[in-house]
Amino acid sequence: MTDSLEPLSDANADLAKESIALLHQYQQLQDRYTALLKLNQLTSDCADLSKLFTQVHRAIAAVMSADNFYIVLYDQTLSTLDLVYHVDEKDHMALGVYPLSKFAGSMTNYVIATGKALLATPEVIKSLEEANKITAVGTSGIDWLGVPLMHDGFVIGVMVVQRYSADTRYQESERDLLEFTAQHIVTAITRLQDRKRLQAAVDARTRELMQQIRDREKSELLQESLYRISELTNDPDLVIDTFYRQVHNIIGQLINAENFYIAKYNASNDELDFAYVQDQKGVNSHQFFKKRKLSNRFTELVIRSGETVLLSQQDMLALHEQGKTIKPEPEVESWLGVPLIDSGELVGAMVLQSYHSATRFTEQDAELLRFVSRHVASAMQRREVADYKRKAHELLEHQVKLRTAALEDEIKQRKIAEEKLQHAACHDILTGLPNRAVFIDLLNHAIARSKRRPSFKFAVLFLDLDRFKVVNDSLGHHAGDMLLKEIAIALMQVIRDTDTVARLGGDEFVILVEDLESDEVAHEIASRITELLSAPFYIDNQSIFIGTSIGVLFNNARYTSADNMLRDADTAMYHAKDKGKGCYEVFDASMHKKVQNALSLEADIRTAIAEQEFVPYFQPIISMTSGKVVGFEALARWHNEQRGFVLPSEFIPLAEETNLVMAIDLQILEKSCQQLKAWQQRFGYQHLYVSCNFYCNHFFSLSLPQDIQAIIDKTGVSPQQVRVEITERALLENSDVVLKNMHALKKMGVKILLDDFGTGYSSLSYLHRFPMDVLKIDRSFIESVHDRDNHQAIIKTIIDLASNLQMETVAEGIENLADAQLLEAMGCMYAQGFYYFKPLPSKEVAEILASNV
């Protein structure tokens, strides 16, 4: 009996050991599961990379030996390694960015080069060293285990654990665990890096907007101040001392003006008279502010130079040491003076002083005070004139009471006022020239006179300023009005006494040249005007080049009304503009013909739409990674039986002007979809798509989604194979309607491309608000990309921005291999251009598809 029990006891013991081993394995699996679950949660919840690496280390250390642990991030473009986390028993390295060469020959570098995990035992390390694949770097250990951090097939870093003792050895299971962990870390890293880049872009835009707001508030305050100064001059009951005090108060809202004075200059006797003084500390005695002849004080620097003077205490002392001024008061820390100039005449100076080191005037203060000073000087002169008129009026009233003869003066003044009213009704208020109504009347009289006297010859010159809108937009309407006045004066000096200059409105002038002895007289006047207006005009001390285009029309028996003559003169003027501006053109029958040709072309376009004459040409779009065709941009082409092949540059502008381009766009989209469906049935390619340009007005119509859906249903293509290209102009107008249409197209599955990105009013707000899928980089950046570094920076920024916003990028206008290689290196996804293919008819595209896309 004893013999039979002994084997049973041994079996129980073995069973117990096996159970303990199984429990140990179960506990290990449970620990790993817990660690992996924690890692998965970390990649979703963690918002800080440094905290992520610390918690990853803790999680790994919970399931395997990881006393020695580090993570490096690899930048392939810069060839650098960023040591973002490092814990080691023996080696100590500072966190930061190192050149890749510092890790040459290391196992870390080996993992980066191979893109594969490495479990390096002493035997493996010896073998790699003998093969010259690694060299000893750092303190040698027993086991070294490193796995690559992979993103989109590229190594972006390495995660490493190692041991210096042989108590516990790394196995394949630890390698698998570390590789699995690496996938989660890459997800977290890319997510946090994308968030950081996006946040940086948002912060930069926010700062830009805040600066714009501050600039706008400052501008509004300045405009309000100028308006208030103007209001002061129009208050007849405001005495001059109160006027100066309120001007001081207004300026004090723009600049620190605690110490302020206005000095008036009388050029006839070379004297300064201090009209207003507010000095907080009273450093200067009352003797200083008495009327005086010009001397060697600091105010005189402004008067004599007619320029702004900005001085520190050191500057003032230097001027004194040079013998140019008196010794300055020691309390004055900063001094700013600007001249008061009205209509080119120096009338005084306006001065600010500071006695505190905390207040020092800047060039910006000087510019602001200089700008305000122009209005103050004008207001002072008008105020003084108003005061003078008020006193004169008071004197006149007193004289009326004394003498009844003053009634005759009142009647006379009324007559003058009536004459002024009559003059105002017939003349332009701004320039004083005859207005349109007067000119029409004079022109009709000239036409009637030529009917009575056939020998009577005259001409009409129609002028339009070439760059007037630029002046208004850049310098403001005030400068524009001053320029119009100067031009009116100049035109009056050019014409003869018998001729008439009138302003029709805006920047349009007309001249009636009568009693012509020959046509050459009108040609000579037009030439003189062209030459005169090509020279610069000076407005507010700034030179302005304006130029003019002139249409010349001679009288003819066929003209019976002034309106018809003005119409043809206007037509001749537009021909001058089309010819290049800054010249004149004489109206002739060919101009009629050009108008008729435009009408004929419009009629042919309408017929071509009805007859389905517009056909798509297809320019392939290439994947820069695979080199294969992924889709096509469809471009409108037109062949007409009478006209032959009509270039897009000839019919597209007129089609857009007449809005016929919308019908052409839909016709091209439908034919492109039909052709794409035919290629799919013939060659079996399902990944190809077609992209069509749509005129901006399409997006202003709520029927756009239904129009496109009808074409998709009719042709049988998938919505995902249809793309619509939109320009930035469409995003500026009717944005709510555009946004609604874009959301409807996205819901259908149609992708939307933003064409010519970067050439218009590009804004990050568009990319966040409007649901775009693809950014098309305009060819203007590609054409000079090797000559202009800023174009490379712009392209790289667009590509990175699109990547961060999960958009695709297409580069247009690739003309050579160098362009293609550069765009591919920058990370651009797709490209099109003559380097790959020019726009092709469908037959030639079929030959390409037949040779395997």
Side-chain angles (χ1 to χ4, degrees):
M1 190 69 176
T2 303
D3 292 338
S4 63
L5 289 174
E6 288 179 357
L8 182 60
S9 177
D10 291 338
N12 289 336
D14 291 339
L15 183 60
K17 291 179 180 179
E18 185 178 347
S19 298
I20 292 172
L22 289 173
L23 286 172
H24 180 65
Q25 291 179 3
Y26 173 77
Q27 185 61 44
Q28 284 184 325
L29 289 174
Q30 182 66 31
D31 291 343
R32 289 192 174 190
Y33 173 78
T34 303
L36 292 176
L37 186 63
K38 183 176 180 181
L39 282 172
N40 185 57
Q41 189 66 30
L42 282 174
T43 60
S44 300
D45 297 343
C46 189
D48 185 86
L49 277 176
S50 60
K51 293 181 181 179
L52 171 69
F53 298 141
T54 301
Q55 295 182 44
V56 166
H57 183 197
R58 291 176 183 171
I60 292 174
V63 293
M64 62 184 292
S65 175
D67 293 337
N68 306 289
F69 176 83
Y70 66 87
I71 296 176
V72 293
L73 299 181
Y74 171 52
D75 190 320
Q76 182 179 2
T77 303
L78 301 177
S79 293
T80 59
L81 290 180
D82 186 0
L83 185 62
V84 295
Y85 188 83
H86 185 269
V87 175
D88 196 277
E89 298 174 275
K90 297 186 178 182
D91 288 337
H92 300 282
M93 286 189 69
L95 300 182
V97 178
Y98 296 88
L100 184 61
S101 58
K102 183 175 179 62
F103 289 81
S106 67
M107 287 183 284
T108 300
N109 194 25
Y110 180 78
V111 172
I112 291 172
T114 62
K116 296 179 180 179
L118 174 63
L119 176 52
T121 62
E123 294 78 17
V124 173
I125 294 174
K126 182 178 180 182
S127 174
L128 292 174
E129 288 178 343
E130 290 175 351
N132 292 324
K133 294 183 177 180
I134 66 170
T135 57
V137 177
T139 305
S140 61
I142 300 299
D143 286 344
W144 188 94
L145 175 56
V147 297
L149 303 178
M150 305 293 295
H151 180 62
D152 288 343
F154 295 95
V155 178
I156 65 168
V158 180
M159 181 168 62
V160 177
V161 294
Q162 63 177 334
R163 288 191 56 78
Y164 295 108
S165 68
D167 297 342
T168 302
R169 304 297 297 274
Y170 294 133
Q171 305 297 327
E172 295 297 325
S173 59
E174 279 81 8
R175 185 192 65 186
D176 294 341
L177 174 64
L178 211 59
E179 285 185 316
F180 184 78
T181 303
Q183 297 175 11
H184 289 274
I185 292 176
V186 168
T187 300
I189 288 173
T190 55
R191 177 178 61 83
L192 292 175
Q193 287 178 339
D194 288 346
R195 178 188 293 177
K196 183 178 180 181
R197 283 192 289 267
L198 183 58
Q199 185 62 45
V202 171
D203 290 345
R205 182 56 178 161
T206 300
R207 288 193 297 271
E208 180 184 344
L209 291 173
M210 291 304 296
Q211 184 60 44
Q212 291 176 0
I213 292 171
R214 286 192 291 271
D215 292 344
R216 182 173 181 178
E217 290 175 346
K218 182 177 179 181
S219 176
E220 289 176 350
L221 179 59
L222 179 59
Q223 291 296 329
E224 181 185 354
S225 300
L226 298 180
Y227 177 73
R228 290 172 59 193
I229 291 173
S230 178
E231 277 189 323
L232 293 178
T233 64
N234 296 324
D235 186 353
D237 299 325
L238 192 67
V239 298
I240 194 68
D241 290 340
T242 304
F243 167 77
Y244 287 137
R245 185 166 58 254
Q246 295 194 21
V247 167
H248 178 203
N249 181 55
I250 294 170
I251 292 174
Q253 296 180 26
L254 301 172
I255 310 173
N256 188 325
E258 292 179 332
N259 307 288
F260 172 86
Y261 63 83
I262 294 176
K264 294 171 59 178
Y265 174 59
N266 189 332
S268 61
N269 55 17
D270 207 31
E271 283 186 346
L272 279 181
D273 184 10
F274 294 88
Y276 177 82
V277 177
Q278 184 64 42
D279 194 87
Q280 209 176 32
K281 287 193 174 183
V283 172
N284 297 295
S285 64
H286 291 292
Q287 187 69 28
F288 174 84
F289 293 114
K290 287 185 177 180
K291 182 185 294 187
R292 67 168 183 252
K293 291 282 187 181
L294 290 192
S295 62
N296 62 341
R297 297 178 183 268
F298 293 99
T299 307
E300 279 80 341
L301 291 176
V302 179
I303 298 298
R304 290 194 173 102
S305 67
E307 302 289 341
T308 299
V309 177
L310 174 60
L311 302 171
S312 64
Q313 174 68 213
Q314 291 75 15
D315 297 333
M316 299 173 80
L317 288 171
L319 290 171
H320 169 63
E321 291 172 359
Q322 296 169 16
K324 295 181 179 180
T325 64
I326 64 170
K327 185 176 182 180
E329 297 291 341
E331 293 87 351
V332 179
E333 293 285 345
S334 186
W335 194 94
L336 172 60
V338 297
L340 296 174
I341 300 174
D342 180 57
S343 300
E345 180 184 357
L346 181 71
V347 298
M350 188 162 54
V351 177
L352 301 177
Q353 297 186 95
S354 169
Y355 303 129
H356 302 287
S357 59
T359 301
R360 286 189 170 91
F361 303 117
T362 65
E363 288 293 341
Q364 186 177 5
D365 296 329
E367 178 62 28
L368 187 61
L369 193 64
R370 182 163 51 246
F371 183 75
V372 173
S373 70
R374 301 169 188 161
H375 299 269
V376 171
S378 177
M380 284 173 55
Q381 293 296 90
R382 291 199 304 269
R383 182 68 261 175
E384 291 187 358
V385 169
D387 280 358
Y388 175 79
K389 287 183 177 180
R390 178 176 56 81
K391 293 176 180 178
H393 183 67
E394 292 174 353
L395 179 61
L396 181 60
E397 286 185 342
H398 179 67
Q399 290 176 343
V400 167
K401 294 177 181 179
L402 297 176
R403 296 184 302 167
T404 58
L407 290 174
E408 296 178 359
D409 291 335
E410 183 180 349
I411 294 171
K412 183 179 178 180
Q413 293 299 324
R414 287 183 178 181
K415 288 183 178 180
I416 293 173
E418 289 173 359
E419 291 173 358
K420 287 183 178 180
L421 287 174
Q422 185 177 2
H423 183 274
C426 299
H427 291 77
D428 175 55
I429 297 176
L430 179 65
T431 62
L433 295 175
N435 58 20
R436 184 186 187 93
V438 172
F439 187 84
I440 292 289
D441 186 61
L442 291 174
L443 185 53
N444 280 324
H445 276 87
I447 293 171
R449 185 180 177 188
S450 68
K451 299 295 183 184
R452 296 191 304 269
R453 267 180 49 197
S455 62
F456 174 71
K457 292 184 177 295
F458 65 94
V460 175
L461 276 60
F462 198 113
L463 285 70
D464 184 89
L465 305 182
D466 289 334
R467 287 176 291 275
F468 183 73
K469 186 177 185 302
V470 176
V471 175
N472 262 350
D473 292 345
S474 58
L475 302 180
H477 291 282
H478 174 70
D481 289 347
M482 293 179 65
L483 178 61
L484 290 174
K485 291 179 181 179
E486 294 291 332
I487 290 173
I489 294 171
L491 292 177
M492 289 295 295
Q493 295 172 348
V494 169
I495 64 172
R496 305 171 305 169
D497 293 339
T498 57
D499 303 332
T500 303
V501 180
R503 181 187 176 211
L504 296 185
D507 60 339
E508 293 182 342
F509 295 82
V510 284
I511 301 175
L512 178 60
V513 184
E514 298 183 87
D515 289 319
L516 288 176
E517 296 178 1
S518 68
D519 293 350
E520 288 302 318
V521 175
H523 286 287
E524 181 184 351
I525 293 175
S527 297
R528 289 206 306 267
I529 293 173
T530 302
E531 181 179 357
L532 172 70
L533 297 189
S534 66
F537 286 81
Y538 294 89
I539 305 298
D540 289 339
N541 297 323
Q542 181 169 348
S543 61
I544 298 173
F545 290 86
I546 188 71
T548 185
S549 299
I550 306 175
V552 180
L553 176 70
F554 293 98
N555 69 302
N556 190 289
R558 70 174 181 272
Y559 292 113
T560 59
S561 72
D563 289 335
N564 289 339
M565 291 198 72
L566 283 178
R567 178 201 63 201
D568 288 348
D570 187 35
T571 300
M573 181 272 293
Y574 276 107
H575 276 73
K577 280 192 178 293
D578 292 340
K579 196 173 180 180
K581 301 181 180 180
C583 61
Y584 71 90
E585 280 288 297
V586 179
F587 182 86
D588 60 27
S590 66
M591 297 181 184
H592 268 308
K593 186 175 180 180
K594 186 173 181 180
V595 174
Q596 292 170 351
N597 287 340
L599 294 174
S600 175
L601 178 60
E602 180 182 348
D604 286 349
I605 292 174
R606 293 181 184 274
T607 302
I609 293 172
E611 298 295 334
Q612 296 280 312
E613 291 181 3
F614 294 99
V615 296
Y617 269 42
F618 301 89
Q619 185 170 35
I621 299 172
I622 309 300
S623 170
M624 301 201 78
T625 55
S626 67
K628 292 184 176 295
V629 176
V630 296
F632 305 89
E633 180 179 0
L635 303 166
R637 295 294 184 266
W638 179 25
H639 186 275
N640 181 266
E641 288 185 2
Q642 287 75 32
R643 295 178 180 271
F645 188 85
V646 186
L647 295 175
S649 60
E650 295 177 10
F651 71 86
I652 290 295
L654 182 59
E656 289 182 347
E657 181 180 340
T658 57
N659 222 32
L660 294 173
V661 72
M662 297 179 70
I664 297 175
D665 290 344
L666 293 175
Q667 192 173 115
I668 293 299
L669 177 61
E670 181 175 340
K671 290 185 177 181
S672 301
C673 290
Q674 288 173 346
Q675 187 61 67
L676 181 64
K677 187 64 177 179
W679 287 334
Q680 290 172 355
Q681 294 171 346
R682 179 179 175 186
F683 301 106
Y685 297 121
Q686 299 300 318
H687 68 283
L688 297 177
Y689 66 84
V690 64
S691 177
C692 293
N693 294 285
F694 263 40
Y695 187 52
C696 62
N697 286 6
H698 281 291
F699 289 85
F700 304 155
S701 170
L702 291 175
S703 66
L704 175 64
Q706 291 79 5
D707 295 338
I708 294 179
Q709 184 65 58
I711 292 174
I712 291 173
D713 294 340
K714 181 178 180 180
T715 58
V717 298
S718 169
Q720 286 73 23
Q721 295 170 323
V722 177
R723 300 190 178 190
V724 177
E725 298 188 18
I726 183 174
T727 60
E728 292 178 32
R729 178 190 164 193
L731 308 182
L732 297 175
E733 303 175 32
N734 303 322
S735 58
D736 292 338
V737 176
V738 174
L739 184 60
K740 185 175 181 180
N741 279 331
M742 293 175 74
H743 280 304
L745 293 176
K746 290 281 289 183
K747 187 175 181 180
M748 289 164 51
V750 175
K751 288 193 174 183
I752 302 173
L753 290 70
L754 182 56
D755 196 15
D756 302 335
F757 181 72
T759 62
Y761 302 85
S762 301
S763 170
L764 283 176
S765 63
Y766 296 159
L767 304 184
H768 287 289
R769 184 181 180 196
F770 295 93
M772 262 83 67
D773 301 287
V774 182
L775 296 183
K776 297 194 73 174
I777 304 172
D778 186 67
R779 66 179 63 248
S780 62
F781 297 115
I782 309 298
E783 289 172 351
S784 55
V785 68
H786 297 287
D787 301 324
R788 301 179 65 178
D789 292 340
N790 63 328
H791 277 201
Q792 295 188 22
I794 291 172
I795 293 173
K796 180 61 176 170
T797 300
I798 293 173
I799 293 172
D800 291 344
L801 179 62
S803 176
N804 290 336
L805 297 177
Q806 298 181 339
M807 296 181 186
E808 298 174 353
T809 48
V810 178
E812 298 182 289
I814 301 295
E815 301 289 348
N816 51 62
L817 176 61
D819 291 348
Q821 291 176 338
L822 179 60
L823 267 293
E824 183 179 0
M826 288 183 176
C828 185
M829 304 171 71
Y830 305 102
Q832 65 185 97
F834 280 22
Y835 172 70
Y836 300 104
F837 299 98
K838 64 181 181 179
L840 303 170
S842 57
K843 181 179 179 180
E844 295 184 30
V845 174
E847 295 174 1
I848 296 172
L849 295 177
S851 64
N852 189 7
V853 178

